[in-house]
């Protein structure tokens, strides 16, 4: 269903006084779910009429008369309302049963028996400290084209579920884990839809007591173009628990850095389509950054000047960050906090080349502007062949030659000369980024070749520059390969001829060009560490501008920088930010991912990155869980014989998905929560349903 088709369903809703819910229970004794709906109905909101029962026991004759009156208008839904459900501290969402499509007294009676039986379920009784009790709401069932879940916090987030004849109606989408038809910030939906839901949310907010963490609303559209409110519960916890700490760190950065205000154009729709993006120092992704342009953060040239800024207050934590537009964490390529050196590099290049580098370092994490639409591009096979030839015979060799020349200069450079070579290394990287940006657009689909995997082409020849993570502080795969199976690998050259394979191979080989662009500055840092007698790990606590100042005599102030970096690494960054606020994750995301290959079972093995994976290979038959699989992971997986993997970040068009297909792996890509499952847990990587099942029976 196109988003434009949804708007009239709400835009023409008649304003009318909502019918009341008949209560046979004293108001003070109503279950929270029913009490809230009664209050909203009394305030004039569109709540379907219903009858509240004190228990699921057999109703008396007067109650049956009221229920029969409801049945005359159509089917009813019989909903359990647990007495401990929907409270300010305990949500209990989805624990109570709802039985829909009840057309007569017998069906209602069966539904009441089902609810009574469910209260004796051992799992439910174990959840609550006391035996669960429930009232019942018999309510007119609203049947229509869609239902929606609105997370009403500072940022209103909508998950819209389409209903049609081919799908079953489900009145508890959060509990059922349905995949939304559309999901995203409400501000990105069509104007008519957005305006109507915003107005309804405003009315709910005015009618209910303040909920510190916001509200969770469920709406249903009927076939007469009216929208009904069927659920309203307080959120018992923040949708993004780490937001206050993350926002405080981000606000500290934004307050202390003197760049012009960031601007970003607002994307027009709540869905995304893959495309190729220009290099943003987090490497390319399966979904592109958007049209927003930015002038990102700047590292102060003087040391420590930002450390005396006033701390953020609790009131500040409730305010949006000054970040217009939609931004996405580049977790596919940078699933950890950037080193201060790499963060400073991104800021420096974005300041000098804002049209080329659009990434933004926010609280130490890399974010990219995210566009939700793209123009279709047609790749010319001849242009692809020329680009591949140029990449192999000119761009990569010239970048390699520039690295070799800089390494020669570094051997005899003193401290002032090293400071100058830092500028030269940044110039070399800018040249690589410009070459990268001129490559043909990434196609809308990629090809996976299992006979000669494109993801392994010429990787071994570039182990000396390919980093374990896309960060200049990261060691190269060659640094990590000694004594591992990686040292025994040999390159597998490929010679594709078809258009998709050519485009896919260009997308693989440009990793080598990008790595060759980062390598000169890493070499400068390591040479500076020796010249300054600073440990290799500590030298990357200094942004490039600061490193140059230290090489010219300033104090490095390593201890506070080390503490700040560790604090940033412990933050819990939102996957997306819109208008300076965290975008809630979809309700069906947890332990779900893009499924590839056959079903596999085995013990889960956690590794934080490729370096840890190489240092401690997983045992045979294990299912590897890792935050992200960057392009360079292909050679590591092949060398270690990994056969099953799940990762937190990535999508259907990502490097992770491509390499899993080409290497014949079983995989779940973008499987949120997989890195929280303890090592040793027996799991089923269920590629039939796209789920990671923990301790399956």
């Amino acid at each position: 269903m196109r988003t434009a088709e949804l708007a009239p369903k709400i835009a023409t809703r008649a304003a009318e006084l909502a019918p009341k819910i008949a209560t046979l229970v004293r108001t003070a004794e109503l279950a929270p779910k029913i009490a809230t709906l009664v209050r909203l109905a009394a305030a004039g909101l569109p709540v379907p009429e219903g009858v509240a029962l004190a228990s699921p026991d057999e109703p008396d004759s007067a109650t049956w008369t009221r229920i029969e009156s409801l049945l005359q208008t159509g089917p009813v839904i019989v909903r359990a309302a647990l007495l401990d459900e929907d409270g300010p501290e305990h949500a209990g969402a989805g624990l109570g049963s709802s039985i829909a499509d009840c057309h007569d007294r017998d069906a209602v009676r069966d539904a009441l028996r089902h609810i009574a039986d469910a209260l004796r379920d051992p799992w439910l009784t174990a959840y609550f400290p006391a035996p669960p009790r429930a009232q019942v709401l018999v309510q007119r069932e609203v049947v229509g084209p869609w239902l929606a879940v609105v997370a009403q916090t500072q940022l209103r987030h909508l998950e819209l579920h389409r209903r049609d004849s081919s799908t079953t109606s489900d009145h508890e989408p959060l509990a059922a884990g349905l995949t939304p038809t559309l999901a995203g910030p409400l501000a990105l939906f069509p104007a008519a839809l957005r305006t109507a839901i915003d107005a309804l949310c405003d009315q709910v907010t005015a009618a209910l007591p303040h909920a510190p963490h916001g509200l969770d609303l469920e709406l249903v559209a009927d076939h007469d173009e009216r929208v009904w409110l069927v659920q309203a519960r307080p959120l018992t916890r923040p949708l993004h628990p780490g937001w206050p700490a993350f926002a405080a760190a981000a606000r500290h950065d934004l307050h202390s850095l003197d760049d012009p205000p960031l601007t970003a154009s607002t994307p027009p729709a709540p869905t995304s389509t893959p495309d190729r993006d220009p290099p943003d120092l987090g490497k390319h992704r399966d979904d592109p950054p958007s049209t927003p342009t930015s002038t990102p953060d700047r590292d102060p040239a003087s040391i420590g000047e930002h450390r005396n800024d006033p701390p953020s207050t609790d009131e500040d934590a409730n305010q949006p960050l000054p970040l217009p537009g939609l931004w996405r964490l580049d977790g596919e390529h940078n699933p950890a906090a950037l080193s201060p050196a790499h963060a400073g590099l991104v800021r420096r290049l974005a300041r000098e080349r804002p049209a080329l580098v659009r990434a933004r370092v926010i609280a130490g994490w890399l974010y990219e502007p995210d566009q939700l639409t793209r123009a279709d591009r047609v790749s010319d096979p001849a242009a692809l062949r020329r680009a591949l030839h140029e990449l192999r015979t000119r761009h990569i060799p010239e970048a390699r030659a520039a690295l070799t020349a800089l390494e020669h200069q570094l051997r005899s450079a003193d401290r002032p000369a090293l400071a100058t070579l830092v500028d030269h290394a940044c110039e070399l990287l800018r040249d690589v980024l410009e070459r990268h940006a001129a490559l043909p657009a990434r196609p809308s689909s990629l090809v996976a070749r299992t006979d000669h995997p494109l993801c392994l082409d010429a990787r071994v020849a570039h182990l000396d520059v390919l980093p374990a993570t896309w960060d200049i502080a990261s060691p190269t795969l060659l640094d990590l390969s000694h004594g591992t199976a990686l040292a025994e690998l040999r390159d597998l050259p490929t010679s594709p001829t078809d258009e998709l394979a050519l485009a896919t191979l260009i997308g693989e080989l440009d990793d080598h060009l990008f790595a060759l662009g980062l390598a000169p500055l890493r070499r400068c840092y390591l040479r500076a560490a020796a010249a300054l007698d600073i440990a290799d790990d500590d030298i990357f606590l200094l942004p490039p501008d600061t490193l140059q100042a230290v090489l010219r005599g300033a104090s490095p102030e390593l201890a506070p920088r080390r503490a700040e970096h560790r604090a940033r690494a412990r933050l819990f960054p939102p996957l997306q930010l819109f208008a300076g606020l965290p975008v809630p994750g979809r309700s069906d995301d947890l332990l779900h991912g893009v499924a590839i290959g056959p079903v596999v079972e085995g013990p889960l093995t956690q590794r934080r990155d490729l370096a840890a994976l190489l240092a401690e290979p997983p045992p045979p038959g294990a299912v590897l869980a890792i935050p992200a699989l960057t392009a360079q992971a292909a050679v590591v997986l092949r060398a270690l014989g990994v056969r099953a993997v799940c990762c937190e970040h990535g999508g259907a068009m990502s490097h992770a998905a491509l390499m899993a297909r080409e290497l014949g792996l079983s995989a779940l890509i973008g499987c949120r929560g997989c890195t929280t499952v303890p090592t040793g847990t027996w799991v089923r990587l269920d590629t039939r349903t796209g789920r990671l099942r923990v301790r399956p029976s």
Side-chain angles (χ1 to χ4, degrees):
M1 179 183 289
R2 294 191 298 252
T3 54
E5 297 173 353
L6 299 169
K9 302 299 183 184
I10 303 182
T12 60
R13 179 175 64 84
E16 59 183 39
L17 189 66
K20 302 293 190 236
I21 294 178
T23 59
L24 305 178
V25 182
R26 288 190 302 175
T27 301
E29 297 175 354
L30 285 173
K33 176 190 288 186
I34 300 175
T36 298
L37 291 176
V38 167
R39 182 169 185 162
L40 293 172
L45 277 92
V47 177
E49 61 268 34
V51 180
L53 312 182
S55 75
D57 297 336
E58 176 73 17
D60 59 27
S61 59
T63 304
W64 273 122
T65 299
R66 293 176 180 270
I67 295 173
E68 292 283 2
S69 178
L70 269 183
L71 287 168
Q72 291 176 10
T73 67
V76 298
I77 180 170
V78 182
R79 309 172 64 190
L82 299 169
L83 297 187
D84 293 321
E85 182 181 7
D86 293 357
E89 294 297 329
H90 303 285
L95 297 181
S97 300
S98 293
I99 298 88
D101 203 32
C102 297
H103 290 267
D104 53 34
R105 179 182 290 210
D106 288 341
V108 173
R109 185 176 282 118
D110 288 343
L112 292 172
R113 292 195 192 103
H114 176 88
I115 290 173
D117 291 342
L119 293 176
R120 293 187 287 271
D121 185 282
W123 186 88
L124 187 62
T125 57
Y127 183 86
F128 293 107
R133 295 180 299 142
Q135 295 171 7
V136 177
L137 179 60
V138 181
Q139 201 169 19
R140 182 175 65 81
E141 182 177 359
V142 179
V143 179
W146 57 262
L147 59 84
V149 179
V150 181
Q152 180 172 315
T153 58
Q154 289 173 286
L155 177 68
R156 289 172 178 168
H157 186 267
L158 181 68
E159 294 184 4
L160 190 141
H161 301 254
R162 179 185 175 184
R163 287 168 162 173
D164 56 38
S165 57
S166 64
T167 60
T168 59
S169 297
D170 197 305
H171 302 267
E172 300 290 344
L174 292 177
L178 296 181
T179 299
T181 307
L182 296 170
L186 180 59
L188 300 184
F189 279 76
L193 184 79
R194 179 177 69 247
T195 301
I197 293 181
D198 266 333
L200 190 58
C201 289
D202 288 342
Q203 290 177 292
V204 172
T205 301
L208 295 180
H210 172 67
H213 304 302
L215 296 168
D216 175 27
L217 312 180
E218 293 183 31
L219 314 175
V220 182
D222 65 20
H223 290 297
D224 293 323
E225 300 180 339
R226 292 177 297 183
V227 177
W228 298 87
L229 179 64
V230 297
Q231 179 75 42
R233 61 166 65 93
L235 294 168
T236 60
R237 298 290 184 274
L239 288 180
H240 190 82
W243 175 246
F246 182 89
R251 205 176 304 279
H252 180 272
D253 290 351
L254 295 168
H255 174 78
S256 62
L257 300 171
D258 58 357
D259 289 311
L262 179 68
T263 60
S265 58
T266 302
T271 56
S272 59
T273 309
D275 192 11
R276 183 187 184 87
D277 57 88
D280 282 331
L281 294 197
K283 207 57 191 75
H284 53 264
R285 309 166 14 220
D286 60 318
D287 296 312
S290 65
T291 53
T293 57
S294 63
T295 311
D297 303 343
R298 180 182 307 177
D299 283 294
S302 59
I303 314 263
E305 70 175 60
H306 62 288
R307 302 183 190 279
N308 296 320
D309 297 313
S312 298
T313 65
D314 292 339
E315 184 177 351
D316 289 336
N318 294 323
Q319 300 300 316
L321 298 173
L323 293 169
L326 183 64
W327 296 80
R328 182 166 65 171
L329 178 71
D330 186 24
E332 182 188 333
H333 305 100
N334 296 88
L338 299 180
S339 69
H342 199 84
L345 174 63
V346 174
R347 290 166 175 153
R348 175 171 175 165
L349 294 179
R351 181 175 72 243
E352 297 169 350
R353 297 288 194 276
L356 188 64
V357 177
R358 299 180 297 183
R360 176 82 163 178
V361 180
I362 303 174
W365 297 75
L366 189 65
Y367 281 79
E368 294 178 332
D370 198 350
Q371 76 177 13
L372 301 179
T373 59
R374 69 175 179 89
D376 290 332
R377 301 179 182 178
V378 178
S379 298
D380 176 12
L384 290 172
R385 285 191 289 271
R386 287 194 301 272
L388 181 59
H389 178 75
E390 286 282 290
L391 197 55
R392 280 176 160 169
T393 63
R394 187 166 72 89
H395 297 320
I396 289 177
E398 287 178 0
R400 173 66 76 175
L403 173 62
T404 301
L406 180 131
E407 288 174 331
H408 179 74
Q409 292 176 283
L410 287 173
R411 293 191 189 104
S412 57
D414 57 12
R415 292 184 182 183
L418 280 172
T420 301
L421 286 175
V422 168
D423 286 331
H424 179 53
C426 290
E427 283 291 343
L428 293 177
L429 178 55
R430 282 192 291 270
D431 177 68
V432 162
L433 296 180
E434 289 167 356
R435 294 175 186 238
H436 185 284
L439 292 172
R442 186 174 180 177
S444 58
S445 62
L446 298 177
V447 62
R449 295 176 49 159
T450 56
D451 51 347
H452 292 88
L454 301 174
C455 65
L456 295 175
D457 192 296
R459 290 285 193 243
V460 174
H462 294 86
L463 293 182
D464 65 319
V465 293
L466 281 169
T469 61
W470 290 113
D471 191 307
I472 59 172
S474 171
T476 68
L477 294 184
L478 183 63
D479 296 332
L480 301 170
S481 67
H482 302 296
T484 72
L486 196 60
E488 307 301 321
L489 282 185
R490 297 293 179 267
D491 269 328
L492 299 174
T494 60
S495 299
T497 57
D498 62 280
E499 178 182 343
L500 282 180
L502 284 167
T504 303
L505 183 56
I506 290 172
E508 294 298 318
L509 295 186
D510 69 6
D511 294 317
H512 305 155
L513 179 62
F514 187 75
L516 284 164
L518 292 178
L521 190 55
R522 175 171 171 80
R523 302 293 201 271
C524 286
Y525 264 83
L526 294 176
R527 179 67 182 85
L532 295 167
D533 194 25
I534 294 176
D536 287 355
D537 288 345
D538 285 345
I539 198 68
F540 292 103
L541 295 171
L542 307 176
D545 294 347
T546 303
L547 175 62
Q548 290 175 300
V550 172
L551 286 167
R552 294 181 178 119
S555 170
E557 297 187 3
L558 293 176
R561 295 180 182 278
R562 187 182 302 111
E564 182 176 285
H565 177 53
R566 289 173 178 170
R568 299 299 170 90
R570 291 192 297 267
L571 293 174
F572 180 41
L575 292 181
Q576 287 185 315
L577 294 166
F578 180 72
L581 291 168
V583 177
R586 277 196 354 221
S587 60
D588 67 324
D589 271 352
L590 193 64
L591 299 185
H592 285 63
V594 176
I596 296 167
V599 176
V600 169
E601 288 192 21
L604 194 76
T605 297
Q606 296 283 353
R607 295 293 182 269
R608 69 179 183 275
D609 52 29
L610 292 185
L613 181 59
L614 280 166
E616 188 180 359
V623 176
L624 171 66
I626 194 167
L629 289 174
T630 53
Q632 52 269 49
V635 288
V636 178
L637 298 180
R638 170 61 66 90
L640 300 182
V642 173
R643 304 306 306 158
V645 62
C646 52
C647 59
E648 293 269 351
H649 301 281
M653 292 283 289
S654 64
H655 274 300
L658 178 67
M659 75 176 68
R661 294 186 187 100
E662 291 198 327
L663 300 180
L665 306 181
S666 294
L668 288 176
I669 308 302
C671 183
R672 301 297 298 162
C674 68
T675 58
T676 66
V677 180
T679 289
T681 302
W682 191 267
V683 297
R684 176 185 297 138
L685 202 154
D686 190 345
T687 52
R688 297 169 302 179
T689 61
R691 296 185 62 184
L692 183 68
R693 300 184 182 275
V694 178
R695 297 188 181 92
S697 58

